[in-house]
Amino acid sequence: MDEKMTMEITNDKLEQAIKEYATERTKENLSAVLNLLRPTKLLVPAMLKAPNQPTPCFLKNSNGEQFLVVYTSKEQIPEEPKSQAILSMPFPACNSIVVKPELKLTGMVINPFSDNLVLKTELVEKLHEADMKAGQMKQVKMTPEQFNIFVKKQVEFGILPKRLHTEGEAFVKLICEEKESLVNQIFAEAYREAKLYPYTENDYSVMALDIAEDLTLIRIDLPEKGMVPTLCHRVYITFDPIMKKTGYYTIEMTKEKGIRQLAQIRPDGKREDLGEAPVEGAELQKVMDLARFDGTEMTS
């Protein structure tokens, strides 16, 4: 490790808090230590398996228990035994080592030859879990417009087709019965907060047709407000009551004026590009043909 960088890691406030905790072991003093530990970097002695492969050192006590060894500053590291390398590691990274089940560590020991503060694995696991949850909760900041596009895509290409392919006939019957009310509800629930939802039931149009004994077709027109390329102008749901076969087709906006994209979302969730969509008046027939196509090549 770079000598200058090692010297810069001092953690004076942390060392003082550790001493105060050693004098008076209260929950408040422990919390003060942990709060100072979490954003800091610690020095970790390591052995070198290879020039660029350092492995942190462990300390074994008289009971055979092993601990990860860390120091708050260079001054805390004893001259002997001398380590092959000293790593600068954030406290959360040290935690991630301690919680590895294959290492079977009892915990982490801070400044073992002076303060000898031991953090047991149970406590380290709680800190590690809290850090993981905090990381998952971090969200990319979006404008209202970006958030609207993000949620609409989730519904149009994820939630709706997944419900269709999973629930099958029951979902088809539900849409046929509740129409705009159900579609509006599905989109609204995806926004989670009512104040963020920019549409109403009147922004949707649902037309359900029993084409034949082997085909039910549902056309769902979606809001044009906030429409941008890759979002859907409308989607078609098809269902074969005899074969229990479901189909989900999208009519998507593209960057080219007047050009719309036809695609389908398969039962495995994958999107298949089906080329340029026909003019609106011919969409219905095209979707019917696709729904009835069994994948076999026709020969004359």
Side-chain angles (χ1 to χ4, degrees), residues 12 36 112 117 134 180 191 193 201 207-208 227 272 280:
D12 294 336
L36 288 167
L117 175 61
E180 291 85 3
Y191 281 77
E193 294 185 38
E201 188 176 318
M207 179 177 66
M227 178 64 66
E272 180 183 1
E280 186 175 342

Side-chain angles (χ1 to χ4, degrees), residues 107-167:
M108 176 192 308
V109 58
I110 302 173
N111 300 338
F113 300 102
S114 56
D115 302 306
N116 196 33
L117 175 61
V118 174
L119 302 181
K120 290 295 185 72
T121 299
E122 292 80 0
L123 174 59
V124 175
E125 284 176 344
K126 291 179 181 179
L127 297 173
H128 180 67
E129 289 173 5
D131 288 336
M132 294 292 289
K133 288 180 181 178
Q136 291 171 358
M137 290 176 65
K138 288 182 180 178
Q139 297 180 355
V140 177
K141 291 184 178 179
M142 296 183 185
T143 64
E145 293 77 14
Q146 289 171 328
F147 180 73
N148 183 49
I149 294 168
F150 172 75
V151 177
K152 286 195 72 179
K153 280 187 175 180
Q154 281 192 317
V155 180
E156 294 171 1
F157 296 95
I159 296 173
L160 272 176
K162 184 177 181 179
R163 284 199 62 177
L164 170 67
H165 293 311
T166 302
E167 300 174 30

Side-chain angles (χ1 to χ4, degrees), residues 28-41:
E28 291 75 16
N29 285 345
L30 178 58
S31 294
V33 171
L34 296 178
N35 288 336
L36 288 167
L37 268 172
R38 298 182 86 161
T40 198
K41 286 186 177 181

Side-chain angles (χ1 to χ4, degrees), residues 43-49 53-58 69 82-87 89:
L43 300 177
V44 182
M47 302 295 289
L48 294 175
K49 287 187 175 180
Q53 291 183 346
T55 301
C57 295
F58 303 137
V69 183
K82 196 171 185 64
S83 302
Q84 292 180 324
I86 301 293
L87 308 177
M89 296 180 63

Side-chain angles (χ1 to χ4, degrees), residues 92-106:
C94 298
N95 290 344
S96 66
I97 294 174
V98 177
V99 300
K100 288 183 177 180
E102 64 270 20
L103 297 179
K104 298 180 180 178
L105 297 179
T106 304

Side-chain angles (χ1 to χ4, degrees), residues 169 210 212-216 239-245:
E169 187 170 11
D210 288 321
E213 290 184 357
D214 65 344
L215 182 60
T216 296
F239 180 68
D240 181 342
I242 299 173
M243 302 298 295
K244 308 300 180 184
K245 177 185 175 184

